[in-house]
Amino acid sequence: MPESGRDVDAVTRALVDLVGRDHVTAPTPGATTPVWRVAPGSVVEIAGLVRAAPGLGVVVAPAGSGRRPPVHARPTVQTSMARLCHVLALDERSLTAHVQVGLTGVDLEAQLVPRGLSLGDYPPAVMRSTLGGIVAVRTHGKSSARTGFFEDNVLGVSAVLADGRTIHTRIAPRRATGPDLARALCGSEGAIGILTSLVLRLHRAPEARFATAYALPSVAAAVAAVQLALREEAAPSGVRIYDEAEARVHFAELDLALGDGEALLVAGTAGPTDLAACDRDLVSSAAIAEGGRLASPALAELWWRRIHGGAPTPAPTPTTQLMATPGRLVRVYGAIAAAAAEAGLALRAHVSRFDADGAVVFVTLVRGGAVLAETDPGAVAVVLAAEGAGAFPLGARSLRLDGYLAALRTAIDPDGVLSPEALT
């Protein structure tokens, strides 16, 4: 294990030999735990790094683009996939694309749109990440009622395992395959293998898009309307519910015409014109059935420009984000509101990213005009109340999987070379 400056220099030289001087960033001098950042330009170089890691006394982990710097307990080589950013093959008849993992969703979409194709209706915040990052991490929001979960559109993967071997999962009809190794690699955070390329299912670009807004008596009524529309098999490309306080912040420049305690529901539909119109009508009838009424079209248009057109959102980053299943959404929101009131906090919230598993509640807690950090004791109390009502923290996984994950990692990576701090 590298400890002295001489050891660090030796690892740096070895990494330069593997990927080139221009693609290695040495550790910060005096760092307690050295971290190198490298940008391999090929699968062969990634495999070479992984094979060399045990002898160099380092572990290897993919370098994400997240804002929070990772904490490392062991000397680590972070691999940036920025140079692996190409479309390897595009099959417009089968609607598939073979792409390297360093390409962002936005950049791939820019190449697909001129061909009348699309990855799907995923939030721009997700699409700005690399494709490898989207697939490899356990995060919310990677789904659309219209195009499904992002992982469901991964037809095959290529990856480097802990011993340097490269694997490619077979691209074939599901009836012709056995255990799905691609699913094990998705969400593994680099702990089972380092993803290098993906084969993705594509979709035809929508012929038409509609955006509509509704005012409903309460957040509970708005949630019921969305769930009713989904039960009627509406497939909106985007849906969001704002409570009254959140709506007044997000749409301060427009006439909301919301009464006390009312909620704003905005929905977008897309696809062939007739289907997009049918989905819009299903959402509309559900909203009316729950006591809603049409709101100003300007509200829906502004919302759509913000999530897909790059228009800035005026509100600060929410305090926290919590997931809940369909049957618990209303209860969770109620628990959040009650806990915030008990703590003397002002609450704003919106509910978004609806899919078959539920939705995400974006919670903003305010004290004295300032938005609370997630670590504030008042915010912690609200989160605990929400979890007591059935909410899940972001990236939650079942602890029952720990034994399975430990056995799988031991079998695949007995020396703990790949991302040892992931999935813990």
Side-chain angles (χ1 to χ4, degrees):
M1 177 177 295
E3 294 177 355
S4 68
R6 182 178 302 173
D7 292 334
V8 169
D9 290 342
V11 173
T12 301
R13 289 194 298 271
L15 296 177
V16 167
D17 290 341
L18 285 166
V19 303
R21 185 173 304 278
D22 293 340
H23 308 299
V24 176
T25 301
T28 302
T32 303
T33 305
V35 176
W36 293 260
R37 190 176 179 99
V38 303
S42 68
V43 176
V44 172
E45 290 181 355
I46 296 172
L49 287 171
V50 172
R51 282 194 293 268
L56 295 173
V58 299
V59 297
V60 179
S65 58
R67 297 176 183 173
R68 289 180 294 182
V71 177
H72 298 281
R74 297 166 61 183
T76 301
V77 175
Q78 292 186 333
T79 56
S80 165
M81 300 300 182
R83 297 172 65 199
L84 300 178
C85 58
H86 302 288
V87 176
L88 303 177
L90 181 62
D91 186 338
E92 298 187 40
R93 176 172 293 184
S94 297
L95 293 180
T96 60
H98 186 193
V99 297
Q100 292 180 311
V101 296
L103 188 67
T104 69
V106 170
D107 289 339
L108 177 56
E109 191 76 359
Q111 297 186 50
L112 296 175
V113 167
R115 295 172 168 83
L117 303 173
S118 174
L119 276 171
D121 295 305
Y122 300 106
V126 171
M127 296 289 277
R128 285 192 288 269
S129 300
T130 63
L131 296 168
I134 294 172
V135 170
V137 301
R138 308 184 314 275
T139 56
H140 66 287
K142 301 187 298 180
S143 64
S144 160
R146 193 171 85 91
T147 50
F149 290 90
F150 197 96
E151 289 84 350
D152 291 339
N153 293 311
V154 177
L155 304 176
V157 303
S158 296
V160 175
L161 299 181
D163 59 2
R165 285 182 298 166
T166 300
I167 62 164
H168 310 279
T169 62
R170 184 182 180 193
I171 311 303
R174 292 184 183 183
R175 294 182 299 278
T177 61
D180 194 346
L181 180 58
R183 286 296 176 269
L185 288 161
C186 291
S188 68
E189 299 183 0
I192 296 175
I194 297 177
L195 296 173
T196 58
S197 67
L198 309 168
V199 177
L200 300 174
R201 177 185 288 111
L202 304 178
H203 304 274
R204 298 292 182 192
E207 179 182 277
R209 289 190 182 275
F210 302 105
T212 319
Y214 309 89
L216 284 104
S218 64
V219 169
V223 169
V226 173
Q227 293 176 344
L228 174 58
L230 295 179
R231 286 197 302 272
E232 294 293 325
E233 300 190 359
S237 54
V239 180
R240 182 171 292 187
I241 295 168
Y242 298 86
D243 67 12
E244 182 194 351
E246 185 86 319
R248 294 196 184 282
V249 170
H250 279 257
F251 302 96
E253 66 270 48
L254 298 176
D255 181 15
L256 276 174
L258 282 182
D260 290 344
E262 288 192 321
L264 178 68
L265 187 160
V266 286
T269 61
T273 302
D274 289 347
L275 286 178
C278 179
D279 285 333
R280 177 197 58 194
D281 294 344
L282 285 171
V283 174
S284 180
S285 63
I288 293 170
E290 295 296 333
R293 64 184 185 278
L294 276 171
S296 169
L299 297 168
E301 291 167 6
L302 179 55
W303 164 71
W304 194 258
R305 288 200 306 273
R306 284 174 175 164
I307 65 169
H308 287 290
T313 299
T317 302
T319 301
T320 189
Q321 304 168 37
L322 297 161
M323 300 176 291
T325 56
R328 293 177 176 173
L329 271 174
V330 173
R331 188 196 323 168
V332 165
Y333 177 79
I336 291 169
E342 184 175 348
L345 304 174
L347 167 68
R348 305 196 311 264
H350 66 267
V351 187
S352 185
R353 303 183 183 180
F354 284 85
D355 55 45
D357 289 344
V360 180
V361 184
F362 294 76
V363 180
T364 301
L365 299 167
V366 180
R367 181 192 295 122
V371 174
L372 269 60
E374 192 171 19
T375 54
D376 184 280
V380 171
V382 171
V383 170
L384 289 175
E387 291 180 0
F392 296 90
L394 296 184
R397 61 181 174 81
S398 172
L399 296 179
R400 295 176 183 176
L401 288 175
D402 283 355
Y404 163 78
L405 290 172
L408 180 62
R409 294 180 69 167
T410 298
I412 292 177
D413 185 10
D415 296 324
V417 171
L418 295 181
S419 301
E421 292 146 18
L423 300 180
T424 56

